[in-house]
Amino acid sequence: MERTLDRVGAFAATHAAVAASDPLHARSLVLQLPGLNRNKDVPGIVGLLREVLPARGMPSGWGFVEAAAAMRDIGFFLGSLKRHGHEPTDVVPGLEPVLLDLARATDLPPRETLLHVTVWNPAAADAQRSYTGLPDEAHLLESVRISMAALEAAIAVTVELSDVPLRSPAFVQGCDELAAYLQKMVESIVYAYRFISPQVFYDELRPFYEPIRIGGQSYLGPGAVEMPLFVLEHVLWGSQSDHPAYREFKETYLPYVLPVYREVYARFTGGPALVDRALGEALVLGVRSEPVRAGLTALEGVIKVLLRFRAPHHKLAERTYEVGRSGPAIGSGGYAPSMLGDLLTLTCDVRSRIRAALDES
């Protein structure tokens, strides 16, 4: 348990450092955005953004933390302007170079991402940045905060497990630790079900997450799909999948996760995933061996937790876009909600492969 807290705490501390940073001294200005958005006051939004922007571009002394926090605060203006029908760089001269500088400093896209608006955003009511100020938006941000650090810890465990033999007691221990971290994803989706109205999400929140153009390229808006769960699943079971829509899905969102996870993704691409390797070992060793059965059972336990997240996430997306049937059929992060059905099916297939191996005895 102590190790678990240490892992999660380390990731949470990094998020907290960015959340606490206000290099542009923009807190009071960004907090005016919900009122301006309610009034559709585009000149007011543009005027505040001009006040927020650093006069001489990004200061040379800034590191990752300052650049990420600055992108967070500028980013809420970007989504707001696009929600009212304007490309931000078209209406604010001098904005584009600042965004590109911040992107280079963080090695992330030149706009706000899921990280910026959730875990890098102060949670305190008098400091939390918001497009709308609605309770549903605050709950949406909290649903991501519940699970992000635990998910990052889970990725670290999955990478470690890739080198642990199936029959080792450490394999079972690692799977149990991994399942415990992933349980936070289940908690986050339960929280979202309880506190976020599909109607409010679709009508009031989603319009702030539209793509914008910067430097001649289109960049997707923040969406839960940018969580690095797809990186974990790539290492766990998906690195050799030949499902074309699944491959495209992963490659679409890869630029929106931290550089360290892009490196993890590249390291495992084309090689056997953890499940593939474990099933190969089981075939050689025989599933009647108790350590082998214990390892496969623990691995199945991880997949079961993933399914407890995937199934309700798919239902929640269907429910949300049923509410907005007459509007856009693309999710808040730019994906088709049907992709969640594909992910659910692929995850079920992984569990079936493990069950088939266990049943061979």
Side-chain angles (χ1 to χ4, degrees):
M1 178 61 72
E2 186 175 335
R3 185 184 180 198
T4 298
L5 293 173
D6 285 347
R7 279 193 200 271
V8 175
F11 289 107
T14 301
H15 300 323
V18 180
S21 180
D22 185 10
L24 298 173
H25 307 290
R27 182 182 70 87
S28 63
L29 299 178
V30 185
L31 293 182
Q32 295 177 46
L33 265 178
L36 294 172
N37 280 323
R38 277 193 297 276
N39 294 327
K40 301 181 175 62
D41 184 354
V42 172
I45 296 170
V46 169
L48 281 188
L49 178 52
R50 285 179 172 147
E51 284 189 55
V52 166
L53 287 177
R56 297 177 180 83
M58 190 187 91
S60 59
W62 280 6
F64 177 90
V65 168
E66 293 84 3
M71 184 67 85
R72 172 200 64 215
D73 289 340
I74 294 170
F76 277 94
F77 290 92
L78 305 181
S80 298
L81 288 171
K82 188 57 187 275
R83 192 263 178 272
H84 300 301
H86 299 277
E87 284 292 343
T89 58
D90 289 347
V91 293
V92 182
L95 172 61
E96 185 168 277
V98 174
L99 295 176
L100 294 173
D101 282 347
L102 293 174
R104 279 189 287 271
T106 57
D107 198 5
L108 286 166
R111 72 165 301 175
E112 82 279 29
T113 69
L114 181 71
L115 288 163
H116 296 89
V117 302
T118 59
V119 291
W120 292 347
N121 186 359
D126 64 349
Q128 179 166 269
R129 282 63 163 168
S130 171
Y131 300 102
T132 68
L134 293 170
D136 294 74
E137 184 178 1
H139 290 313
L140 186 63
L141 306 188
E142 183 61 22
S143 71
V144 175
R145 291 190 185 112
I146 285 169
S147 55
M148 183 68 88
L151 174 57
E152 291 172 317
I155 294 172
V157 175
T158 309
V159 170
E160 290 171 9
L161 274 172
S162 67
D163 293 323
V164 178
L166 174 65
R167 59 184 169 180
S168 166
F171 188 88
V172 173
Q173 293 166 7
C175 284
D176 290 346
E177 186 181 0
L178 176 52
Y181 290 138
L182 289 174
Q183 182 60 33
K184 284 291 183 181
M185 295 293 296
V186 180
E187 291 178 23
S188 72
I189 203 68
V190 169
Y191 183 95
Y193 254 105
R194 287 183 62 194
F195 294 112
I196 303 166
S197 156
Q199 189 81 56
V200 171
F201 175 84
Y202 194 90
D203 292 339
E204 304 295 336
L205 303 181
R206 187 194 174 285
F208 289 92
Y209 310 139
E210 291 293 328
I212 62 174
R213 293 195 66 78
I214 300 158
Q217 285 185 247
S218 180
Y219 292 92
L220 298 169
V225 72
E226 292 173 10
M227 292 192 80
L229 180 60
F230 72 90
V231 176
L232 182 148
E233 292 180 316
H234 179 75
V235 177
L236 182 63
W237 58 260
S239 58
Q240 289 184 313
S241 172
D242 59 0
H243 190 290
Y246 171 58
R247 285 205 310 272
E248 182 182 354
F249 168 80
K250 292 187 292 184
E251 288 163 8
T252 296
Y253 295 101
L254 201 55
Y256 296 85
V257 300
L258 288 168
V260 64
Y261 299 127
R262 301 202 291 270
E263 292 167 9
V264 168
Y265 183 93
R267 173 180 158 192
F268 286 89
T269 296
L274 175 57
V275 168
D276 299 325
R277 191 264 295 171
L279 290 174
E281 286 184 36
L283 191 62
V284 172
L285 297 169
V287 291
R288 294 191 178 184
S289 161
E290 187 51 41
V292 170
R293 288 192 65 78
L296 287 180
T297 301
L299 188 57
E300 185 193 12
V302 172
I303 304 301
K304 284 160 96 171
V305 177
L306 278 174
L307 287 171
R308 286 204 293 272
F309 166 76
R310 284 266 171 238
H313 188 207
H314 182 222
K315 286 181 182 175
L316 182 58
E318 285 187 324
R319 189 175 73 168
T320 299
Y321 287 90
E322 182 71 19
V323 161
R325 185 186 292 176
S326 62
I330 299 298
S332 58
Y335 68 99
S338 61
M339 186 63 226
L340 295 181
D342 291 343
L343 285 167
L344 178 59
T345 299
L346 289 167
T347 312
C348 287
D349 291 346
V350 174
R351 187 185 179 197
S352 296
R353 289 172 61 204
I354 299 171
R355 283 290 343 146
L358 284 165
D359 291 344
E360 283 180 9
S361 61

